[in-house]
Amino acid sequence: MNVKWEGVMPAVTTKFTKEDTLDLVNFEVNIHAQLSAGVSGIILGGTLGEASTLSDEEKSTIVRKTVEIVDGKVPVIMNIAEQTTKGAIEAARKAKEDGASGLMMLPPMRYKADDKETVTYFKKVAYSTDLPIMIYNNPVDYGIEVTLDMFEELSECANIQAVKESTRDISNISRMKTRFGNRFAILSGVDTLALESTLMGADGWVAGLVCAFPAETVAVFNLAKSGRTQEAIEIYRWFLPLLELDINTKLVQNIKLAEVHTGIGTEHVREPRLPLYGEERERVIRIIEEGLRTRPTLPEYKGLEVLT
């Protein structure tokens, strides 16, 4: 399937049972909720997907299951977060074999590669596959920034097509657009900067709280892209306390707890993560309950014409 790097692409959570096995029943419930809301793709195996805790077999299972669920409606994107180039190439090969339509790629894990090493890593993986690739640029959390000069070198790889922009610097969108035009699609990767990023020209939003609030997330993006900015702002202001649950070390637990409250997920996480407890849990529940109490009535947001 051709990947259009645009719109809202949820970085979905991986569902587990009490026995710490994959919960494909509740996983399917959530994927259907995303599709119903009008998302443009499904991203698997990211931070929210607890990828570092998944076995290779489990990764294959969730890719294959998602491909089955979406049934060609939207592309399925698998995240690549490996320590070695060899491991990343194999992960890309396996993702394609399992039916993924594209890849999201982090720089090498653990080792803080320099610019040349990082570019070489991305290029070798890109040349090993024909799947389209979105580079995940998140120096805040992962310690390596993919600079504009590095993107210049990566532009020779036709299948490196997009960037998940998580530098927290909104002006980086304008820098990318000024230097490269439309060579790379730009998707906002920070929930609390998503509307601002969209208004500055981002093509899409790799979202987190969408896991619990899919319709509201897609509504904000679509309204902003269609020029109905004030309506988007009003929903976004309501949404912001919830979106802030994504920029936290316990983002997985926070968002899974929100999924429970919206009826499209469970709270089970894989250790060493533990469910929230005590005052921290009470604080997050208060935020979620207030969001549900004041949840806005959404205007019709599907099928809006995108302004260029």
Side-chain angles (χ1 to χ4, degrees), residues 276-283:
L276 299 178
Y277 59 91
E279 171 53 33
E280 185 176 27
R281 180 183 181 85
E282 293 173 5
R283 180 186 66 82

Side-chain angles (χ1 to χ4, degrees), residues 32-210:
H32 280 302
Q34 304 302 324
L35 295 174
S36 179
V39 301
S40 300
I42 301 291
I43 297 176
L44 304 169
T47 304
L48 269 178
E50 298 175 72
S52 62
T53 73
L54 299 176
S55 69
D56 290 343
E57 182 181 352
E58 287 173 326
K59 290 177 183 178
S60 286
T61 298
I62 61 171
V63 173
R64 290 176 182 271
K65 183 63 176 178
T66 307
V67 170
E68 174 192 320
I69 296 167
V70 305
D71 192 26
K73 296 180 180 71
V74 299
V76 174
I77 311 300
M78 184 59 180
N79 185 49
I80 303 291
E82 297 291 332
Q83 298 180 54
T84 68
T85 305
K86 182 179 179 180
I89 289 171
E90 173 59 19
R93 185 198 67 78
K94 194 68 175 70
K96 180 176 180 179
E97 180 182 280
D98 292 329
S101 303
L103 305 171
M104 181 171 77
M105 279 195 66
L106 281 159
M109 296 286 94
R110 296 193 181 181
Y111 173 64
K112 192 176 186 301
D114 66 20
D115 290 5
K116 179 178 176 59
E117 291 169 327
T118 302
V119 167
T120 301
Y121 173 81
F122 284 137
K123 280 186 175 181
K124 285 195 172 182
V125 177
Y127 285 132
S128 78
T129 181
D130 60 0
L131 289 180
I133 295 170
M134 174 169 62
I135 301 296
Y136 186 179
N137 193 13
N138 187 348
V140 176
D141 292 327
Y142 296 105
I144 296 174
E145 180 172 4
V146 187
T147 65
L148 268 66
D149 286 345
M150 292 163 75
F151 274 110
E152 187 75 57
E153 294 187 64
L154 293 173
S155 66
E156 71 181 48
C157 302
N159 60 333
I160 296 181
Q161 299 175 352
V163 56
K164 179 182 176 184
E165 166 54 48
S166 299
T167 63
R168 276 66 161 180
D169 183 355
I170 291 291
S171 61
N172 210 38
I173 296 171
S174 294
R175 292 189 188 98
M176 288 286 292
K177 292 291 186 182
T178 298
R179 183 155 175 179
F180 301 111
N182 294 322
R183 169 61 183 84
F184 299 103
I186 300 175
L187 287 79
S188 173
V190 182
D191 272 3
T192 55
L193 296 175
L195 178 57
E196 295 87 343
S197 298
T198 303
L199 295 176
M200 289 305 297
D203 304 285
W205 177 4
V206 177
L209 263 295
V210 68

Side-chain angles (χ1 to χ4, degrees), residues 210-229:
V210 68
C211 294
F213 294 91
E216 289 82 359
T217 306
V218 179
V220 168
F221 182 83
N222 286 4
L223 289 166
K225 276 296 185 183
S226 66
R228 293 165 60 176
T229 306

